[in-house]
Amino acid sequence: MSIIKAFDLKEIQRGNKALEFDKTHVDSLAKARLATMSLEEKIEQLHGSKSSGDMGTEKGLYWSGENSAQEIPPFKMVDGPRGLRAGFATAFPVPMARGASFDPALEKRVGMAIGEEVAAAGGNVLLAPTINLLRHPGWGRAQETYSEDPFHMGLMGLAFVSGAQNFVLASPKHFALNNLETTRFEVNSEIDERALHEVYLPHFRRSIVDGCAASIMSAYNKVNGTYCGENSNLLERILRVDWNFEGFVESDWLLGTRSTAPSINAGMDIEMPAAYWFKREKIEESMAKGEILIETIDRNVLRVLRQKFAFGLNSQISVSKARIECEEHLSLAQEVAEKSFVLLKNEGVLPLKVTQNIALIGKLAVTENLGDRGSSMVRSTNVSTPFDGLENWNGASFTYFEDAPESEVLEGFDVAVVVAGYTYQDEGEYIPTLNKESSGDDLARGGDRSSMRLPIDQEQLIVIVSSRAKKTVVLLETGSSVNVYSWIDSIEALLVIWYPGCEGGKAIARTLFGEVNPSGRLPALFPKSDDQLGEWDINAKEVKHGLFHGYRYLDHNHERALFPFGFGLSYTEFKVKSVIINRNKRHFSIIVGLSNAGKVDGICVPQLYVSCLNSRVERPKKELKGFGRLSLRANEKLNLEFEVRDSDLCFYDRKEGWVLEDCLYRFFIGFSSDDLPFSQTWRFDGVSWTQEAQE
Ligand code: BGC
């Protein structure tokens, strides 16, 4: 039987321009140009330049460093994570939804599509992906990121970067530990080196080391008392020395730069969106005082010029505007939505039959609910809502109600489908100048969710409908986990549809009627209670970060989630039939035989976790170290191969760096962090590996 690879790095990297250029040639071009530049011209490369027009942009793009006399093209930066944020564009499902696909190959295609739309709009730097770890699902920008798990986030972020860099420069953000929204401009994230390297940075490292991201955006917050924009531990020691990052760092926008000399010296290369701290007069004054050396200015300018030459921005081939919202991208948005929905409960109600009489209930059924209205907002020409999806479904018989109908009315329906959840008014990027209640087309203030429960009117809608209807299906629109504990027992089916993008309605109809078999899995656990997730204060000015959050935190406390990380049902059932673990020179090869034991075709998402059993340091009980997606027809069996490298098994020591300990490692295979039927233990004695006898 042939073996399918769970993850194929070469395939993900293919087409990424940053991995293809001739470094020596680019270096010499950049150095030659630098040698002809005046100080004034150099400084111009170090800050945003055009900042008028719509939202501080011109046609939605933020420019920096244009110099036609020197034939230096400008960067034209644009958001963002769920699509091109300029004019109309394809709105993809939000990244958290894409995280639920557990499908880096698909995410690469999304990165390519967004990168291509950015290029078609005249942009050349894509301000995405957002790869801040979901420390708590209440984070206002949870929807912009992929996961609570650094390994999962690492592969998804890398895939997006590689895809986007087929067309433009990508800029993973926000470096680092930006995971509280309401106080993001001032909060201090305290962390030790171990948690920093093991939990909060591995995914950034992967985007840079394997994805060769051309740039990176620093964060607003402080880390260990120093603002990220002037934090030399992050920007110099970790980025440049440890990871060999050769791209440039740009600041986050409103208050992302806090100083002149400390920022420039620490390695903040470009102040965005315009010069304030990096104004010529301020830089010259600092140079006169000896606080900034010309060598440092040259170093930073070179980082900028190198990427301009590497990506050939001067001679960039233009991409046709017709690629924006083209058929191919719209159908990709639909495919992604279909692969992102997570079925959490299904007591014999889904898929629906067209002969059934459906009551479609809730305002959100007719609302274009694409996600927050911060910097990641995308406008699409057409948005397919859940209502549109059902209306266009051949033969579907349904009636729409804004509120819960009376019992007598609901009795006439076979099933009630309630669309409930959040909108941009409940969660999103925090924009202090706006009102929480802003509505209409424009931005809203956003912020964190202080409670993981739905707004009271949404919970009531579910509870009332389920008490009156024969059967109730809830379609949940959200940017991350929800506390559904109080109403889950009253309904028959729960399908998490996130913010499903501009083609969401079509994907919903296909899933409800069984043409698509749900294959999304939770990239963040759903708790039994808010308390299970640990402390969460949306007004905190100091936040301690450690090794434990999400499933690691629950494991640590010997607790179980309501729906664990990695969980999701299907209309069929999968089984692990066999596991063979082989030790190679520097990695393990783990071949898992999987079967579809049900009657319909489906996609399974096997996962591999590793525990270190007798470590000399405290470790999470288990950590995700591999996952894959496999399409299996009814009764089909296939083999999937995971590769676990030694570097995936290390812990970080402040003095020694990454340490591969001599101890016992247990490999677990299964379908969620709480469903791991298979395990095998291996011993490392410092030199060689041996398999332990099965208990
Ligand atoms: C956000 C960034 C975004 C930038 C430009 C900032 O406020 O934090 O994520 O890229 O604005 O829109």
Side-chain angles (χ1 to χ4, degrees), residues 438-469:
S438 326
S439 56
D441 259 0
D442 259 327
L443 299 153
R445 189 169 76 172
D448 304 295
R449 281 191 275 141
S450 52
S451 160
M452 298 312 107
R453 289 181 64 162
L454 291 181
I456 188 78
D457 64 312
Q458 297 294 292
E459 281 199 353
Q460 273 169 359
L461 181 70
I462 294 169
V463 171
I464 294 172
V465 171
S466 61
S467 70
R468 295 176 186 168

Side-chain angles (χ1 to χ4, degrees), residues 88-89 91 325 330 368 370 379-384 388 501-503:
F88 288 89
E325 293 189 299
L330 295 177
E368 297 187 358
L370 297 179
R379 286 191 176 86
S380 290
T381 310
N382 294 306
V383 176
S384 168
D388 299 333
C502 62
E503 299 291 302

Side-chain angles (χ1 to χ4, degrees), residues 206-282:
R206 215 182 265 272
S207 281
I208 285 163
V209 174
D210 292 332
C212 215
S215 65
I216 197 160
M217 185 189 292
S218 67
Y220 286 129
N221 51 284
K222 295 178 206 157
V223 170
N224 293 335
T226 307
Y227 281 112
C228 289
E230 52 189 35
N231 194 317
S232 56
N233 189 40
L234 288 174
L235 301 187
E236 180 61 29
R237 191 176 71 82
I238 293 175
L239 257 190
R240 305 285 173 185
V241 180
D242 290 357
W243 301 350
N244 283 321
F245 176 60
E246 292 184 344
F248 62 90
V249 177
E250 82 272 8
S251 72
D252 200 346
W253 262 231
L254 303 172
L255 290 166
T257 313
R258 299 282 184 155
S259 61
T260 307
S263 301
I264 287 179
N265 290 332
M268 163 67 69
D269 302 311
I270 303 184
E271 178 183 26
M272 290 301 292
Y276 176 77
W277 291 102
F278 287 16
K279 271 198 174 122
R280 184 157 63 89
E281 306 78 63
K282 286 200 171 107

Side-chain angles (χ1 to χ4, degrees), residues 562-582:
L562 184 62
F563 297 113
F565 176 86
F567 176 79
L569 300 168
S570 157
Y571 295 155
T572 184
E573 206 191 322
F574 303 103
K575 293 235 154 54
V576 175
K577 302 298 274 186
S578 59
V579 179
I580 300 168
I581 303 187
N582 288 313

Side-chain angles (χ1 to χ4, degrees), residues 654-674:
R654 204 166 58 87
K655 292 204 190 89
E656 296 172 57
W658 292 102
V659 179
L660 181 65
E661 249 189 306
D662 43 345
C663 57
L664 292 173
Y665 296 85
R666 183 169 290 168
F667 296 85
F668 292 94
I669 310 280
F671 296 115
S672 82
S673 72
D674 277 357

Side-chain angles (χ1 to χ4, degrees), residues 499-557:
Y499 298 114
C502 62
E503 299 291 302
K506 295 179 189 165
I508 290 164
R510 274 168 54 83
T511 309
L512 286 179
F513 289 109
E515 219 160 85
V516 165
N517 190 345
S519 60
R521 302 292 184 264
L522 289 181
L525 67 86
F526 274 41
K528 284 186 187 150
S529 70
D530 284 20
D531 287 349
Q532 249 192 345
L533 298 168
E535 207 182 305
W536 176 240
D537 170 10
I538 67 167
N539 297 307
K541 305 278 166 59
E542 285 285 329
V543 178
K544 261 204 152 342
H545 290 61
L547 294 175
F548 306 107
H549 72 282
Y551 71 84
R552 290 166 168 77
Y553 184 73
L554 266 66
D555 278 351
H556 189 64
N557 294 337

